[in-house]
Amino acid sequence: MTKYHSARDFVFHLIFWPIVVVVAALAVLAGTQRLFLVLVGLAVLDVLLIWVYTTTYYVLDETELVIVMGPFRKRTNYHDIHDILETRDTTSAPALSFSRVALILKNGRRLLISPRDPKKFIQTLREKIQSH
């Protein structure tokens, strides 16, 4: 099992942290206005955002790629992957960087991820795919 943490771009930080701060400020404002349901909802959203930020990674185990993004998990069997390429596609994805790896699946779908060491990740993934 090999674990690759997600890369994080400076631009991503410029987008992400202001959102976290604004959501926290809105939660505080909701608390002062006695809007406790809104306060709880915003606090949960903030915790979820930080959880995703701190725990986005990719695991290459014996039979599948596991994408972990906070509480969310996506499993893809190696035999379902048709092609792998580096991209700068900005489509929404479990990636914290705009330098991404696109996994083209046999069903035509694409998965975008952003491992810190994309070249090593691609090499290891290709080896795993070939061995299955």
Side-chain angles (χ1 to χ4, degrees):
M1 176 177 90
T2 309
K3 183 176 180 178
Y4 293 85
H5 289 276
S6 179
R8 293 184 180 102
D9 286 342
F10 179 72
V11 173
F12 182 82
H13 292 290
L14 290 177
I15 295 168
F16 177 80
W17 287 113
I19 291 171
V20 170
V21 170
V22 167
V23 170
L26 289 173
V28 169
L29 181 62
T32 63
Q33 299 298 316
R34 300 182 191 265
L35 301 170
F36 295 114
L37 190 57
V38 174
L39 167 68
V40 170
L42 291 170
V44 167
L45 176 61
D46 235 12
V47 167
L48 182 62
L49 286 171
I50 293 169
W51 188 3
V52 165
Y53 177 82
T54 58
T55 60
T56 297
Y57 59 90
Y58 319 102
V59 176
L60 298 174
D61 71 11
E62 292 305 312
T63 60
E64 64 188 0
L65 163 66
V66 182
I67 300 170
V68 178
M69 193 169 192
F72 308 106
R73 307 275 187 279
K74 167 90 174 124
R75 297 178 180 277
T76 302
N77 288 319
Y78 296 136
H79 70 269
D80 291 333
I81 300 172
H82 173 70
D83 199 8
I84 309 161
L85 53 111
E86 290 188 64
T87 183
R88 300 237 358 126
D89 188 335
T90 58
T91 305
S92 178
L96 304 178
S97 170
F98 296 116
S99 295
R100 298 175 173 188
V101 173
L103 307 174
I104 313 302
L105 305 181
K106 289 180 181 174
N107 65 8
R109 296 186 63 214
R110 291 173 23 129
L111 294 175
L112 297 172
I113 58 176
S114 61
R116 274 191 198 147
D117 188 349
K119 296 206 182 309
K120 183 177 179 188
F121 177 87
I122 291 170
Q123 177 186 355
T124 305
L125 180 56
R126 284 193 171 134
E127 290 168 3
K128 295 274 190 183
I129 291 169
Q130 289 174 353
S131 69
H132 284 90

